[in-house]
Amino acid sequence: DPFFMKASARGKGTREEPNIVDAMDSFRMVGCVCNEHDTHVKWMWVHEGKPKRCFCGHWFQIKRHPAPEKYKMPL
C-alpha cells in the first residue's frame, strides 16, 4: 500500500497516544466511523504538528513519509 489508501483500525486515540495517520504531505483528510453501528463517516482535515480531535473524542496525528520512488514501486 504505497499511498496509504487502506483503512486502518483505530487505536487508543488519546491525546497522549493519538491514532497515527500516514501521509506523504503535511496534511490529509481522515474519515472516522465514530460508533460501530454508524452508517456514515465523519471527515476532517489533519495537519502535521497539530493533532486533531474528532467529535467522538478520538485524536489523530500525521506521520509524514517520503513519496515512493517511481522506478521502485511494488508490483
Side-chain angles (χ1 to χ4, degrees):
D1 188 23
F3 300 105
F4 312 111
M5 297 299 292
K6 293 182 181 176
S8 59
R10 285 188 313 216
K12 283 187 176 181
T14 63
R15 187 169 179 99
E16 295 77 28
E17 293 183 46
N19 295 299
I20 301 300
V21 178
D22 295 307
M24 290 185 287
D25 211 334
S26 61
F27 56 92
R28 180 130 192 210
M29 182 175 275
V30 176
C32 182
V33 180
C34 298
N35 297 308
E36 182 180 343
H37 302 292
D38 278 353
T39 57
H40 63 282
V41 178
K42 293 184 176 112
W43 295 97
M44 63 189 147
W45 285 100
V46 180
H47 297 272
E48 187 176 26
K50 298 178 184 176
K52 176 87 174 197
R53 184 174 182 245
C54 182
F55 293 110
C56 65
H58 283 90
W59 286 84
F60 296 87
Q61 182 176 356
I62 290 283
K63 179 180 179 186
R64 195 169 183 179
H65 299 273
E69 292 185 30
K70 183 177 181 179
Y71 299 106
K72 293 185 180 179
M73 294 285 292
L75 299 175

